[in-house]
Amino acid sequence: MARSPREVMASGEWYSCLDAPYVEMRRAARRACHQHRVMEPDARGACSPLLADLLTLGSDCWIEAPFHCSYGINLTLGDRVYLNASCVVLDSAPVRIGAGSMLGPGVHIYCADHHRDPEKRRAGIERALPVTVGADVWIGGGAILLPGVTIGDGAIVAAGAVVSRDVPAGSRVAGIPARGL
């Protein structure tokens, strides 16, 4: 039985992001992010209607504008999650952000792992690795989370850190690459 494009992305297998279904899903996400960015703030509230239709949102979440996601359909926010201005979530794989977590301005989360072979890269070949942020995590402004990482409950990621490995619950990391404090 044929799998949906979303199932292929979630499998961690290689696929071409240039195939028509992926292109159309990204177009829908761009439209939603555009609406979120340009709506009058009082009318938009915590999340614009098109964006809320794509994401899986817990209660009392807030997403500041501007915000960008590549698909939206793979992004799940727990209750009371706050994303500050200019956050980017390239959610080609599932991205889960736990309840009470806060992301500072300009935090980037990347799931795509592009092929190492230049010919395959030109053909859009990539795989997607999930990113998980536990509950009550604080991620400082400008931090970057790379494909496949998990941030444990209650952890703190310093501003500007580049997280390339899992972060244990309750720990603090900083630097490039991020290391424990």
Side-chain angles (χ1 to χ4, degrees):
M1 177 178 269
R3 295 180 295 168
S4 72
R6 189 173 179 182
E7 290 170 326
V8 173
M9 285 191 296
S11 74
E13 297 171 15
W14 297 100
Y15 65 94
S16 176
C17 66
L18 301 178
D19 289 348
Y22 302 106
V23 171
E24 186 48 44
M25 287 189 288
R26 287 192 305 275
R27 279 189 188 125
R30 281 194 299 275
R31 286 189 294 270
C33 292
H34 175 76
Q35 180 190 63
H36 187 76
R37 183 177 62 252
V38 300
M39 277 185 83
E40 195 276 322
D42 290 337
R44 178 186 65 234
C47 188
S48 70
L50 287 178
L51 195 55
D53 286 345
L54 284 180
L55 311 178
T56 301
L57 297 171
S59 63
D60 298 320
C61 292
W62 194 277
I63 301 173
E64 297 287 359
F67 169 78
H68 179 79
C69 59
S70 52
Y71 294 93
I73 60 172
N74 291 319
L75 179 54
T76 301
L77 305 182
D79 296 340
R80 302 173 323 282
V81 168
Y82 178 77
L83 279 67
N84 209 323
S86 301
C87 285
V88 173
V89 181
L90 302 184
D91 63 317
S92 47
V95 174
R96 291 179 175 81
I97 301 175
S101 290
M102 298 171 58
L103 280 63
V107 170
H108 287 202
I109 299 174
Y110 306 144
C111 293
D113 180 29
H114 300 282
H115 207 283
R116 306 310 182 263
D117 179 291
E119 294 285 325
K120 291 183 178 179
R121 232 180 4 258
R122 272 194 292 280
I125 302 299
E126 67 181 27
R127 65 181 175 162
L129 304 173
V131 173
T132 302
V133 175
D136 299 311
V137 170
W138 177 23
I139 301 176
I144 297 172
L145 309 184
L146 296 179
V149 300
T150 296
I151 311 294
D153 293 346
I156 297 173
V157 175
V162 175
V163 180
S164 59
R165 296 185 185 128
D166 291 351
V167 176
S171 63
R172 295 182 293 166
V173 298
I176 303 172
R179 303 234 189 263
L181 295 175

